[in-house]
């Protein structure tokens, strides 16, 4: 490789990247490049420093390990239940596959896991763990609302000030730190069981003061786990829990006072939240609830539901013609 | 080798807190990195440190607890924003969206200064989230200097760049790392964040003299020191930030204080993070070495040292 000039700097960086991101290590990357007639080991040794104590390949392997394990750590932090569900060895392989398809393209590690749930939905692991994409979607939603914009939740007083005769025309706005999810599996209860097994203390609404994405780990180097930690070099896998039932389910995820919560929803409440998200009026929501109910029962159901939304702090505003806070 | 003289595009007036006779920003004293493990502790009790360094990317978010914590920390202490993804040495175009977020963060929190690393972190639109080494060539120097100037113009302030720990080097490097770092600072007008532990780690990994490194850095460009622990892997040292600072690094720090005078000093501890009090102890040890070494300096030190834990206020560090 020629030296000097930006073209060569670019080629050098592309080669460096290819070497340190190869899933089977630098040696395998060199063999692959050599077979393609691009770079062989002697030319690599003329580019990078190395000596008997620490050859160039081993020096580059330090970077290869740091690359993979930093990103693995980040995904393990954002998807702890997904990791617990499949165990460290399968999660390791899943992350290897994921990073090949979706290397980080953002300056912040916060977005690294954004496409993991969809990726799992197309991954062979889904055969053995059909609920895994749903579980990962729940975890990503929790990570996503953690740093969504702050909004003061709607107060009961503001809602009470709505003119009675026009309340049906009013529309709610939800807080930005909110997500409505639908699943094909009962992953909310499965999440709770995993949390309990890990020593968590989640109540009805699973709470967590989640962390900074990527662990806020700064620029510290990352290492592969100590191979002596277990005979296989991997953390022993915990006994698996029974898989969650395949059944349509819904959940909402939200943040209040910097704590992230989620809970199961029945389909009726999920449909009502769909209407809120679509900007429909309170009257339209009540119509939804009136189907098959007496007016008294429908009103009581609407009252309980909205009371829950108020108490959980998922409503941001209620508006008639102009914004009312 | 003759090195081109390029004037900095930044005027001296645009530097932050340039209240020292040599143009360096204010001496902040001795600080530690702000990490989530210590959020509650830092907010609940006065800390025996003078300032905090926040990792820029962790706060490039729209809301939530980290931003709230940083807001409250900034009300009480000076803060420096320290990034890991500027990728100043990459051959990719500068990420304008990233710079816009960094600019917004700096405007909001009014840091004493903004820093990142003399390295590249990705190419082809991909990010390794690691601090990858540059070849120290004239071409790379021109490339980095031009980009630093564009970043400084975009942010409206000079930045500081940190020397990284490295494990491999390029045989075609024409300059020593310290020569490259010094030239980047002199040509672009940026400051230097001198990581004393990184000098020690790289010196062991590449077989150079850490004293020569210090001798090669122009004192008036050094804005900040970093101190951290590392791991000895036998054949090499790894910059893990998960141990106390070792004695030879403390000794190198003492030499740095003697050469560079009072320089704001920060303890980094990023993995296996201990109780905050342990970081305070490390910071106090740095302060003691600094205070012991300073009287040996010849000539007046044109600084005003900050008392420990002084309140800063959002408006006090423009």
């Amino acid at each position: 490789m020629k030296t000097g000039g930006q073209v060569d700097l670019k080629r050098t960086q592309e080669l460096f990247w290819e070497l340190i991101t190869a899933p089977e290590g630098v040696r395998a990357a060199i063999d692959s490049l050599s077979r393609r007639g691009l770079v062989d080991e002697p030319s690599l040794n003329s580019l990078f420093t190395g000596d008997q104590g620490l050859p160039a390949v081993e020096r580059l392997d330090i970077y290869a390990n740091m690359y993979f394990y930093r990103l693995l750590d980040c995904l393990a932090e954002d998807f702890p239940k997904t990791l617990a569900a499949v165990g460290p060895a399968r999660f390791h392989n899943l992350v290897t596959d994921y990073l090949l398809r979706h290397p980080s393209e953002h300056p912040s590690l916060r977005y690294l896991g954004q496409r993991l749930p969809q990726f799992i939905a197309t991954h062979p692991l889904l055969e053995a763990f059909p609920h895994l994409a749903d579980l990962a979607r729940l975890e990503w939603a929790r990570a996503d609302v953690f740093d969504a914009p702050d909004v003061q939740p709607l107060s009961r007083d503001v809602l009470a000030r709505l003119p009675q005769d026009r309340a049906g025309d009013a529309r709610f706005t939800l807080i930005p730190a909110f997500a409505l999810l639908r699943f094909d599996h009962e992953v909310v209860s499965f999440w709770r069981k995993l949390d309990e097994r890990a020593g968590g203390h989640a109540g009805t609404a699973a709470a967590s003061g989640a962390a900074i994405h990527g662990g806020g780990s700064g620029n510290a180097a990352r290492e592969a786990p100590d191979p002596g930690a277990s005979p296989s070099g991997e953390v022993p896998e915990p006994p698996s829990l029974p898989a969650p039932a395949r059944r349509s389910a819904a959940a909402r995820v939200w943040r209040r006072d910097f704590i992230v919560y989620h809970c199961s929803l029945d389909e009726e409440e999920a449909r009502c939240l769909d209407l809120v998200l679509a900007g429909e009026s309170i009257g339209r929501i009540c119509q939804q609830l009136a189907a098959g109910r007496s007016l008294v029962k429908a009103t009581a159901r609407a009252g309980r539901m909205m009371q829950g939304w108020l108490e959980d702090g998922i409503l941001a505003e209620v508006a008639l013609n102009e914004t009312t806070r | 080798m003759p090195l081109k003289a390029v004037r900095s595009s930044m005027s001296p007036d645009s530097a932050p807190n340039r209240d020292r006779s040599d143009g360096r920003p204010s001496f902040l004293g001795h600080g530690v990195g702000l990490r989530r493990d210590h959020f509650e502790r830092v907010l609940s009790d006065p800390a025996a440190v003078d300032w905090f360094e926040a990792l820029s990317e962790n706060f490039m978010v729209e809301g939530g607890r980290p931003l709230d914590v940083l807001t409250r920390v900034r009300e009480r202490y000076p803060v420096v924003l320290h990034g890991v993804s500027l990728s100043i040495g990459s051959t990719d175009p500068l990420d304008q969206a990233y710079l816009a977020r960094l600019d917004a963060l700096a405007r909001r929190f009014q840091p004493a200064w903004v820093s990142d690393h003399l390295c590249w972190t990705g190419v082809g639109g991909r990010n390794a989230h690691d601090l990858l080494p540059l070849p120290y060539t004239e071409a790379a120097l021109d490339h980095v200097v031009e980009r630093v100037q564009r970043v400084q113009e975009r942010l409206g302030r000079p930045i500081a760049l940190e020397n990284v720990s490295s494990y491999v080097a390029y045989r075609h490097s024409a300059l020593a790392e310290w020569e490259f770092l010094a030239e980047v600072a002199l040509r672009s007008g940026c400051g230097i964040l001198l990581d004393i532990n990184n000098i020690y780690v790289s010196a062991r990994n590449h077989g150079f003299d850490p004293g020569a490194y210090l001798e090669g850095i122009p004192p008036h460009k050094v804005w900040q020191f970093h101190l951290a622990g590392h791991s000895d892997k036998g054949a090499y040292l790894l910059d893990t930030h998960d141990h106390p600072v070792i004695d030879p690094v403390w000794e190198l720090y003492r030499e740095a204080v003697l050469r560079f005078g009072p320089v704001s000093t920060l303890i980094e501890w990023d993995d296996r993070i201990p109780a905050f009090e342990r970081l305070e102890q490390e910071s106090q040890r740095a302060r003691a070495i600094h205070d012991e070494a300073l009287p040996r300096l010849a000539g007046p030190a044109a600084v005003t040292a900050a008392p420990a834990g002084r309140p800063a206020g959002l408006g006090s560090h423009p």
Side-chain angles (χ1 to χ4, degrees), chain A residues 2-6 9-14 16-17 20-21 44-51 53-54 56 58-60 62-63 66-67 70-71 73 77 103-112 146-150 209-223 255 258, chain B residues 35-36 39 55 57-66 68 82 84-85 89-92 95 98 101 117 120-123 125-135 139-140 143 162 165-172 205-206 226 231 233 235-236 238-242 268 270-272:
Chain A
K2 292 176 188 172
T3 60
Q6 183 174 341
L9 182 58
K10 185 174 178 63
R11 284 183 189 157
T12 302
Q13 291 183 345
E14 286 168 346
F16 200 114
W17 177 273
I20 68 167
T21 59
L44 208 75
N45 284 329
S46 69
L47 180 61
F48 297 108
T49 57
D51 48 37
L54 197 60
E58 289 179 29
R59 289 172 180 266
L60 289 163
I62 298 170
Y63 287 98
M66 290 197 291
Y67 168 76
R70 185 187 305 276
L71 302 186
D73 282 355
E77 194 162 311
S104 177
E105 294 177 343
H106 197 281
S108 171
L109 284 167
R110 183 236 182 275
Y111 298 96
L112 181 65
F146 171 68
D147 53 19
D150 302 319
I212 288 173
H213 294 271
S217 58
N219 51 21
R222 278 289 177 277
E223 296 178 86
R255 190 188 78 223
F258 305 135
Chain B
R35 300 294 180 264
R36 67 172 187 233
F39 280 176
L55 291 168
E57 290 78 7
N58 286 347
F59 300 94
M60 291 180 181
V61 292
E62 295 184 84
R65 186 163 181 250
D68 176 70
H82 183 53
V84 292
S85 285
S90 174
T91 49
D92 277 0
D95 185 338
Y98 173 83
R101 282 191 291 270
H117 299 82
W120 61 288
T121 63
V123 69
R126 299 155 301 183
N127 194 336
H129 300 281
D130 199 359
L131 310 172
L132 307 173
L134 282 162
H143 176 66
E162 175 183 350
S165 285
S166 62
Y167 310 97
V168 74
Y170 301 85
R171 293 200 186 277
H172 61 285
N205 291 345
H206 302 300
H226 266 171
S231 296
K233 313 304 285 185
Y236 61 95
L238 192 63
D239 184 30
T240 45
H241 294 191
D242 61 349
E268 290 184 299
D270 292 304
D271 209 350
R272 297 181 213 170

Side-chain angles (χ1 to χ4, degrees), chain A residues 258-274:
Chain A
F258 305 135
I259 296 175
V260 176
Y261 301 88
H262 70 260
C263 69
S264 293
L265 297 179
D266 59 44
E267 182 52 28
E268 186 174 59
E269 183 172 350
R271 280 201 296 270
C272 289
L273 284 167
D274 280 333

Side-chain angles (χ1 to χ4, degrees), chain A residues 163-241:
Chain A
Q164 288 285 318
D165 57 336
R166 296 179 62 202
D169 297 330
R171 289 168 167 76
F172 289 125
T173 304
L174 297 167
I175 59 170
F178 174 87
L180 175 63
L181 302 171
R182 282 191 169 79
F183 302 120
D184 294 325
H185 301 83
E186 290 274 12
V187 288
V188 171
S189 55
F190 187 63
W191 186 100
R192 187 161 57 242
K193 286 173 192 160
L194 289 167
D195 198 57
E196 286 164 0
R197 189 174 72 179
H201 302 285
T204 307
S208 158
I212 288 173
H213 294 271
S217 58
N219 51 21
R222 278 289 177 277
E223 296 178 86
D226 179 2
S230 70
S232 65
E234 296 284 356
V235 179
E237 305 209 2
S240 59
L241 292 169

Side-chain angles (χ1 to χ4, degrees), chain B:
Chain B
M1 172 173 296
L3 296 169
K4 292 179 221 165
V6 179
R7 283 171 65 91
S8 164
S9 60
M10 297 300 301
S11 73
D13 292 342
S14 60
N17 298 327
R18 292 210 172 211
D19 61 356
R20 295 215 240 182
S21 60
D22 59 5
R24 287 191 277 179
S26 301
F27 172 61
L28 299 178
H30 293 79
V32 299
L34 179 64
R35 300 294 180 264
R36 67 172 187 233
D37 302 57
H38 302 137
F39 280 176
E40 290 304 326
R41 166 64 183 80
V42 168
L43 293 174
S44 62
D45 295 308
V49 299
D50 302 320
W51 59 285
F52 286 93
E53 187 181 73
L55 291 168
S56 309
E57 290 78 7
N58 286 347
F59 300 94
M60 291 180 181
V61 292
E62 295 184 84
R65 186 163 181 250
L67 275 181
D68 176 70
V69 169
L70 185 56
T71 301
R72 290 192 280 158
V73 168
R74 183 65 189 92
E75 287 166 358
R76 304 176 200 183
Y77 302 93
V79 163
V80 165
L81 290 176
H82 183 53
V84 292
S85 285
L86 180 60
S87 202
I88 198 70
S90 174
T91 49
D92 277 0
L94 284 169
D95 185 338
Q96 295 299 329
Y98 173 83
L99 290 175
R101 282 191 291 270
L102 182 57
D103 186 37
L105 199 65
R107 288 175 189 277
R108 174 171 175 177
F109 289 102
Q110 296 291 311
W113 56 84
V114 172
S115 63
D116 206 291
H117 299 82
L118 183 55
C119 69
W120 61 288
T121 63
V123 69
R126 299 155 301 183
N127 194 336
H129 300 281
D130 199 359
L131 310 172
L132 307 173
L134 282 162
Y136 301 129
T137 62
E138 274 288 339
L141 185 56
D142 289 345
H143 176 66
V144 170
V145 166
E146 189 265 337
R147 284 163 66 95
V148 173
Q149 289 171 335
R150 284 169 50 207
V151 167
Q152 292 180 147
E153 283 165 13
R154 174 65 184 82
L155 299 178
R157 60 170 72 219
I159 61 172
L161 288 177
E162 175 183 350
N163 57 301
V164 298
S165 285
S166 62
Y167 310 97
V168 74
Y170 301 85
R171 293 200 186 277
H172 61 285
S173 285
L175 303 171
E177 181 181 309
W178 55 91
E179 293 172 328
F180 190 88
L181 175 61
E183 280 303 315
V184 167
L186 291 169
R187 292 189 193 184
S188 72
C190 77
I192 293 173
L193 193 179
L194 205 55
D195 189 312
I196 306 299
N197 177 62
N198 288 353
I199 292 174
Y200 184 84
V201 166
S202 293
R204 267 282 300 273
N205 291 345
H206 302 300
F208 63 72
D209 173 15
Y213 200 118
L214 296 184
E215 289 295 318
I217 298 296
H220 71 284
K221 301 304 293 183
V222 179
W223 294 6
Q224 184 187 337
F225 292 142
H226 266 171
L227 291 165
H230 59 257
S231 296
D232 191 336
K233 313 304 285 185
Y236 61 95
L237 301 183
L238 192 63
D239 184 30
T240 45
H241 294 191
D242 61 349
H243 286 80
V245 179
I246 65 167
D247 285 342
V249 173
W250 283 123
E251 179 53 32
L252 197 58
Y253 173 60
R254 198 184 67 82
E255 290 176 30
V257 173
L258 286 169
R259 173 166 171 77
F260 301 108
V263 172
S264 306
T265 299
L266 184 114
I267 304 291
E268 290 184 299
W269 204 316
D270 292 304
D271 209 350
R272 297 181 213 170
I273 296 177
F276 187 73
E277 288 68 23
R278 184 70 190 86
L279 265 76
E280 288 178 317
Q281 288 170 10
E282 291 282 280
S283 185
Q284 295 294 356
R285 183 164 179 186
R287 190 192 305 277
I289 291 170
H290 171 271
D291 291 350
E292 185 271 332
L294 268 192
R296 299 192 196 179
L297 281 173
V303 298
T304 305
R310 70 173 175 186
L314 275 172
S316 64
H317 288 268

